[in-house]
Amino acid sequence: MNKRLIAILMTLALLTLLLASCGAATEQPESSGTTPPSESTHSSAEESDLPESSGASGALTTNGGAEIAISTLEFSTQDEAAPTVYFISDITAAAMVEIYNALAWSPTGNVAVKLSTGEPPASNYLRPELIVDLVQLVDGTIVECNTAYGGSRASTAMHYQVAEDHGFTAIADVQIQDEDGSMTLPVEGGLVLSENYVGAAFADYDSYLVLSHFKGHGMAGFGGAIKNISIGLGSAEGKSWIHSGGTSMTSPWGGAQDAFCEAMADAGKSVSDYLGNGERIVYINVMNRLSIDCDCDGNPAEPDMHDIGILASTDPVALDQACIDLVWVSEGNESFVNRVENRNGLHTLESGEEIGLGSRSYQLVVLGE
């Protein structure tokens, strides 16, 4: 009997264990089809550390043949409130006209085309054959101001000669705007300047088309649209005023670097404000011959980067930021990036956004693809 009792008890114990196991299985929730947390690619803590996407999509192909994902451009966005920057990879006279037309901007009255005439003998200024169709389309007068650092464009007579030698007088009328001195523009909400000095003939024009060769710069880090409407439109004394951060009208040397960057933004805002709060001025940047040196250098360093394309916007901060973003993701950019960072050049963009000259965020629209 004892053996039979033991066997019965063992059987009952096994049955109890089996029933408990089945009950536990029936109490498990049905699968939701989602990945269990332990198998998730990122935990919630990890997800919070991921960089935020700009929201931009698509890609562009540069003039040099490189493909760049728009999502890699730091300040690109799909926010419809952001200003639009147009891009085209071709760097031709026809492409200049195409990207200008994309702006859907109609100049009024006398039209000035602001560009750099370029320091001899071998600077990378925009060639007349590249811009001729656009300049003549808007019936524009090419305008410049004298330099504050000497060189072949420090006096009006010499500067007109350079404009002729470089082929600009053959495609349009040319005016050195400070040949009769300066006029003063107020700076509203500036960081270091309360007034800006441009060429006396600045007010003779109702609309401005700003054509800039985007490149590096020995003092500003880089030069684009903002530099072209600040230093570029500054009279000789205005250039010194900006370079010195508003402390000298006779020498461009020795000012604090951040104050110089801030003064460029301030001066640019005074120009934009004067022109209908930006309504009567638009900007085109050409990203070719991407030297670390400016067109004010007659013997610039050879570029390490391939050409990228042409960009245009009604917002100079957005335009320059888009160009910087493209440089930052391009091959061979080390010397250009070092030049910008060593001069704290991005502070010009920071300052421009802070005072309301424009927005660093932008929507990129690619043409011709």
Side-chain angles (χ1 to χ4, degrees):
M1 287 293 293
N2 289 339
K3 291 182 178 179
R4 292 180 62 187
L5 180 60
I6 291 170
I8 292 169
L9 290 172
M10 290 178 66
T11 301
L12 290 172
L14 287 171
L15 288 172
T16 301
L17 287 171
L18 287 171
L19 288 171
S21 175
C22 291
T26 58
E27 289 172 6
Q28 292 294 322
E30 293 185 3
S31 171
S32 64
T34 58
T35 305
S38 61
E39 299 178 14
S40 176
T41 305
H42 300 287
S43 69
S44 59
E46 290 172 333
E47 287 175 354
S48 66
D49 294 332
L50 293 174
E52 292 183 3
S53 170
S54 68
S57 62
L60 61 86
T61 303
T62 69
N63 184 266
E67 186 168 294
I68 293 175
I70 295 175
S71 61
T72 65
L73 305 179
E74 183 176 359
F75 285 88
S76 64
T77 179
Q78 289 185 325
D79 183 353
E80 294 182 357
T84 300
V85 174
Y86 295 94
F87 171 86
I88 191 167
S89 62
D90 291 342
I91 303 178
T92 62
M96 292 289 289
V97 172
E98 181 177 351
I99 203 165
Y100 167 79
N101 286 336
L103 293 171
W105 177 76
S106 297
T108 59
N110 293 330
V111 180
V113 178
K114 174 64 184 75
L115 51 72
S116 170
T117 49
E119 190 68 26
S123 59
N124 295 310
Y125 58 89
L126 298 178
R127 283 355 193 210
E129 57 269 24
L130 176 64
I131 67 171
V132 56
D133 292 349
L134 179 52
V135 172
Q136 294 180 359
L137 175 66
V138 300
D139 192 22
T141 297
I142 293 172
V143 301
E144 254 279 47
C145 283
N146 292 319
T147 67
Y149 55 80
S152 299
R153 300 176 298 150
S155 72
T156 299
M158 294 170 64
H159 202 158
Y160 275 119
Q161 186 62 55
V162 170
E164 180 179 349
D165 293 344
H166 286 175
F168 293 111
T169 59
I171 67 170
D173 291 336
V174 175
Q175 184 179 39
I176 307 305
Q177 289 194 321
D178 64 334
E179 60 182 308
D180 293 322
S182 303
M183 65 173 285
T184 305
L185 299 181
V187 177
E188 300 294 336
L191 297 174
V192 293
L193 302 183
S194 59
E195 55 190 10
N196 178 39
Y197 302 97
V198 296
F202 172 81
D204 293 349
Y205 299 89
D206 305 289
S207 304
Y208 276 74
L209 170 60
V210 180
L211 305 182
S212 306
H213 172 226
F214 190 85
K215 67 282 176 185
H217 190 274
M219 295 183 71
F222 75 93
I226 298 174
K227 179 179 176 293
N228 206 357
I229 62 171
S230 56
I231 292 292
L233 279 172
S235 61
E237 61 183 355
K239 287 178 170 64
S240 293
W241 187 243
I242 295 168
H243 269 287
S244 67
T247 61
S248 173
M249 297 179 68
T250 58
S251 173
W253 315 117
Q257 183 63 20
D258 280 3
F260 169 42
C261 295
E262 292 163 3
M264 281 198 292
D266 289 352
K269 185 172 185 294
S270 75
V271 167
S272 179
D273 288 352
Y274 184 91
L275 294 168
N277 294 317
E279 292 295 323
R280 293 186 281 121
I281 184 169
V282 294
Y283 311 87
I284 297 176
N285 283 1
V286 180
M287 298 188 74
N288 70 339
R289 299 288 300 165
L290 290 160
S291 171
I292 62 171
D293 293 320
C294 182
D295 301 341
C296 56
D297 189 329
N299 293 285
E302 278 296 302
D304 294 326
M305 301 173 60
H306 292 297
D307 294 349
I308 292 178
I310 307 173
L311 293 89
S313 184
T314 59
D315 185 316
V317 179
L319 179 58
D320 282 355
Q321 182 66 65
C323 292
I324 285 289
D325 286 352
L326 285 166
V327 167
W328 249 240
V329 298
S330 295
E331 292 185 0
N333 66 0
E334 290 83 3
S335 61
F336 200 117
V337 170
N338 287 339
R339 174 56 58 88
V340 175
E341 291 182 340
N342 288 341
R343 305 300 189 273
N344 199 22
L346 299 183
H347 190 52
T348 302
L349 298 172
E350 296 167 348
S351 301
E353 184 172 62
E354 180 179 349
I355 65 175
L357 174 59
S359 165
R360 295 181 75 182
S361 298
Y362 57 90
Q363 303 176 78
L364 191 69
V365 174
V366 179
L367 305 177
E369 292 190 8

